[in-house]
Amino acid sequence: MPGLFSTLSATAGALGAETYGLDVTGQNIANVNTPGYARREVLLSSTPSPDQWTQGAGVQVDGVRSTRDRLLERRLQMEQPSVAREGAIAGALGIVEVAIGKPGASIDARMNEFFDAASRLASDPTAPAVRQDFSLAGQNLAASFRDMTDRLSVARRDADTQARGAVTEINELSAQLAKLNGQLALTPAGGTQSLTLKDQQKVALDRLAQLIDINAIERADGGVDLSVGGGRAIVVGTQSVSMDMTSQPPDGYVGLSMGGQAMANDEVTGGALAGYLQVRDLYVPDYQNRLNDLASQVASQVNAIHTAGYDRAGTPGGEFFTTDPVLGAAQSIAVSQDVVDDPNLIVAAGVNAGGDNQAARDIAALRDAKVMDGGRATLSDMWGQLTYRVGNDTRVAKEEQASRQAIVTQVQALSDSVSGVSLDEEAMTMLRYQRAYEANAQFFRVVDGVLATLYQMVSAT
Amino acid sequence: MQTTANGDPGPHRVALGLRATLERLADALTNVDLDTLLACESEMASTLAASKDITIDPASRAETARELLAARAALVRCSRLGATLADLTRLSLSAHGVGQTYGRHGSGAGLAVGVHALEAKG
């Protein structure tokens, strides 16, 4: 028969379990905004009766578990590198876009001023003030090319600096995860400490996934082994392998290696690090090449006219612009020092006759001459194409980021909505969503066709 | 849907309707909003039905082109988000040991749980 003491003991045990449950609930509430924290649940069971006359000996705490959906967590970690990569590209190119300047207020404006000065020179080819004005317009144009080159170089340097920062953080996180692996291996599974370590592991993994695309393999003891870039291990058990950084000639940009073996850029396909490397090695160099082509054409076209004409004294002209092929035209373009020192050396005449202005008119006519892109574009058109390309690259990166972020938001919402729901209910709910989507998707092909038809209608002239 | 003086809805209004419906569908997929998801089906059907026999409205040509491009972007977004949803369902059901024929009474055939490819990376 149950005695008073056994009843009190069961009641005390129940109170202890309830108190423990309240503690856990308090923990959940306190950590509602803690990154990586998963809601805890107390596992209770009835204490077996010691004899056949007793209903039961109360309740006991079997342990605590956290409610995690590993599938959705893995999915989030797969999407995060893409979001972070596009975000890094969009952020860096946004700065380049500002540096390029608005239409009509950058190199295009300096080119227009230069051609305007050439027109004034054609109107009054012997006036010293007009010659000085033409020389200054040329110097301003050259300076704007050099300034733009510097800005693009700074953009590359910034991307390199950010890549270095990302690698440093990757190394710190991989070391932290290796340390967590060691702690998890020594901690009993299901204990409160183990759950806290798993929370920390999730935070570190999420952050790492934002920096670089990772492949994670969960260990039996709750730890995780990680590899990057097509199978290079960065965390194996309690060991982490650092990504090494070395400055590469000629620009001193960082090169990556692991275990003494160089890493190619295309091994890093996701995460902010991939974005920074792409900006540094693909996007900005492309803009620099286009700027170089433009500066080179400006110099060669003007020089071709200038060297074929005659200066104020009737002497055959020299080069108006000078460039250094080693440095690149955009970085080195300048008005010839001889012309700067003596504007009388500026060529306005096409023939050796006093007052002729043919060369000045030819230079002014370059404004509308299609000398770029195989005779299809003017110098200003090429600048417009460069600014359009920068703007378009930025827009595409922003749209990609938004699109992928929507997927992350969707997975996150699903993760939140299925928390605490039974597996059967979860499966049924997801099926309803899928069926509802499929019903809409049946129209997609028709919608696509209607859109194409409408576009043809409005595009027809 | 409003119509033009000719009685047809006009390409601009059709584009506006399609874009609005697709944007709502994308939002519903992003926010996992089942009610809106279901409502979009009939909206899209009626918008498509209204798209027959339309004529060009020269006055709103540029505006219509912009709407069409935006509608196309929304369509791509819907496809991408829908593919993710389908992947998640497939993986969830597989992880639970049931197939796509799973119903309220749990009649689905078991699926081997193995390595799955995620196809919605965009």
Side-chain angles (χ1 to χ4, degrees):
Chain A
M1 292 289 288
L4 180 61
F5 286 113
S6 61
T7 304
L8 286 174
S9 172
T11 306
L15 281 173
E18 292 298 333
T19 304
Y20 192 78
L22 283 173
D23 275 351
V24 171
T25 304
Q27 280 288 315
N28 284 340
I29 294 170
N31 287 283
V32 68
N33 290 321
T34 303
Y37 183 84
R39 184 165 57 85
R40 311 286 201 250
E41 286 178 353
V42 182
L43 301 176
L44 301 172
S45 67
S46 62
T47 309
S49 171
D51 54 55
Q52 59 179 314
W53 299 285
T54 310
Q55 290 298 316
V59 65
Q60 65 186 21
V61 176
D62 289 339
V64 182
R65 73 176 175 197
S66 59
T67 52
R68 287 194 185 285
D69 189 325
R70 291 180 186 173
L71 188 72
L72 293 173
E73 283 184 6
R74 288 285 299 274
R75 178 68 191 177
L76 278 173
Q77 282 163 12
M78 287 178 71
E79 289 297 340
Q80 277 166 342
S82 301
V83 177
R85 182 191 64 222
E86 299 302 331
I89 292 173
L93 292 189
I95 295 169
V96 174
E97 195 178 16
V98 172
I100 289 282
K102 293 178 179 174
S106 188
I107 285 179
D108 50 348
R110 302 293 90 75
M111 279 198 289
N112 278 331
E113 288 165 8
F114 177 70
F115 294 130
D116 287 345
S119 295
R120 288 194 291 276
L121 181 65
S123 300
D124 194 354
T126 56
V130 175
R131 286 177 167 270
Q132 185 66 36
D133 176 47
F134 182 71
S135 171
L136 284 173
Q139 290 172 53
N140 287 340
L141 175 58
S144 68
F145 272 115
R146 295 195 302 271
D147 180 47
M148 192 58 65
T149 306
D150 288 344
R151 291 184 193 187
L152 292 177
S153 296
V154 167
R156 279 190 83 183
R157 180 65 60 192
D158 285 350
D160 185 68
T161 303
Q162 287 176 305
R164 287 172 188 266
V167 172
T168 303
E169 197 175 348
I170 288 167
N171 287 339
E172 288 169 359
L173 287 167
S174 56
Q176 183 191 347
L177 284 161
K179 188 178 171 189
L180 283 170
N181 280 352
Q183 292 172 317
L184 279 163
L186 299 173
T187 307
T192 306
Q193 195 185 352
S194 161
L195 298 181
T196 304
L197 291 172
K198 290 291 283 182
D199 289 344
Q200 293 172 9
Q201 184 193 61
K202 181 182 183 307
V203 172
L205 280 173
D206 283 351
R207 178 59 191 149
L208 192 58
Q210 288 171 4
L211 295 169
I212 191 168
D213 47 345
I214 51 173
N215 298 310
I217 300 171
E218 193 161 336
R219 300 166 67 90
D221 57 14
V224 65
D225 291 337
L226 299 171
S227 63
V228 298
R232 290 176 187 257
I234 58 167
V235 175
V236 179
T238 57
Q239 302 293 318
S240 65
V241 182
S242 291
M243 292 174 75
D244 299 318
M245 296 184 279
T246 49
S247 295
Q248 303 288 319
D251 299 311
Y253 294 134
V254 68
L256 303 177
S257 62
M258 286 184 73
Q261 288 190 323
M263 284 183 81
N265 278 5
D266 57 12
E267 286 190 69
V268 184
T269 56
L273 178 60
Y276 297 138
L277 292 177
Q278 285 181 19
V279 168
R280 187 194 72 182
D281 297 338
L282 295 176
Y283 287 97
V284 179
D286 177 52
Y287 308 150
Q288 287 176 320
N289 287 339
R290 288 167 184 269
L291 188 66
N292 261 330
D293 287 346
L294 180 59
S296 176
Q297 276 297 323
V298 167
S300 64
Q301 293 290 335
V302 172
N303 284 344
I305 298 168
H306 205 262
T307 53
Y310 297 89
D311 63 19
R312 194 177 176 197
T315 309
E319 288 190 332
F320 182 80
F321 286 118
T322 60
T323 57
D324 182 336
V326 176
L327 289 174
Q331 190 176 347
S332 63
I333 186 170
V335 174
S336 160
Q337 192 58 47
D338 293 340
V339 173
V340 172
D341 293 342
D342 182 5
N344 286 325
L345 297 179
I346 290 172
V347 167
V351 293
N352 191 2
D356 184 65
N357 66 356
Q358 186 58 49
R361 282 194 286 135
D362 288 348
I363 291 174
L366 283 177
R367 186 201 309 260
D368 301 316
K370 295 191 173 180
V371 294
M372 300 290 293
D373 197 19
R376 289 194 293 265
T378 64
L379 296 166
S380 292
D381 288 344
M382 285 309 288
W383 172 253
Q385 286 178 22
L386 173 57
T387 55
Y388 172 79
R389 193 174 187 86
V390 174
N392 194 50
D393 287 345
T394 310
R395 182 184 60 78
V396 168
K398 282 179 179 169
E399 285 179 2
E400 280 291 307
Q401 184 196 13
S403 173
R404 291 168 193 277
Q405 183 61 51
I407 291 175
V408 169
T409 305
Q410 181 196 38
V411 175
Q412 191 68 57
L414 279 168
S415 177
D416 293 345
S417 70
V418 300
S419 266
V421 178
S422 75
L423 292 182
D424 272 358
E425 284 179 16
E426 180 187 343
M428 284 301 301
T429 305
M430 295 195 77
L431 267 179
R432 289 188 68 206
Y433 281 117
Q434 193 194 25
R435 298 280 186 262
Y437 166 70
E438 283 172 352
N440 284 290
Q442 286 174 357
F443 292 111
F444 282 4
R445 188 182 296 274
V446 185
V447 172
D448 207 16
V450 169
L451 291 176
T453 306
L454 290 175
Y455 200 74
Q456 280 174 356
M457 288 171 74
V458 297
S459 300
T461 53
Chain B
M1 179 174 286
Q2 294 178 15
T3 57
T4 62
N6 298 335
D8 72 59
H12 184 230
R13 290 190 191 286
V14 170
L16 268 174
L18 281 175
R19 180 191 175 181
T21 306
L22 290 166
E23 294 278 6
R24 266 165 59 77
L25 180 59
D27 285 346
L29 286 166
T30 303
N31 299 311
V32 199
D33 179 355
L34 184 61
D35 291 336
T36 308
L37 211 54
L38 292 167
C40 285
E41 183 188 353
S42 55
E43 276 182 37
M44 210 175 310
S46 60
T47 311
L48 284 172
S51 69
K52 294 172 183 170
D53 303 325
I54 49 178
T55 52
I56 306 168
D57 178 7
S60 60
R61 192 185 293 272
E63 209 175 341
T64 306
R66 273 198 302 276
E67 284 298 330
L68 288 170
L69 288 176
R72 187 70 200 273
L75 182 65
V76 171
R77 198 157 67 247
C78 286
S79 298
R80 192 178 278 181
L81 288 166
T84 310
L85 189 68
D87 267 349
L88 281 168
T89 306
R90 181 171 55 80
L91 284 169
S92 267
L93 293 178
S94 299
H96 298 164
V98 293
Q100 289 282 357
T101 56
Y102 182 80
R104 185 162 292 282
H105 302 294
S107 59
L111 271 184
V113 179
V115 177
H116 301 284
L118 286 160
E119 299 165 347
K121 296 264 302 177

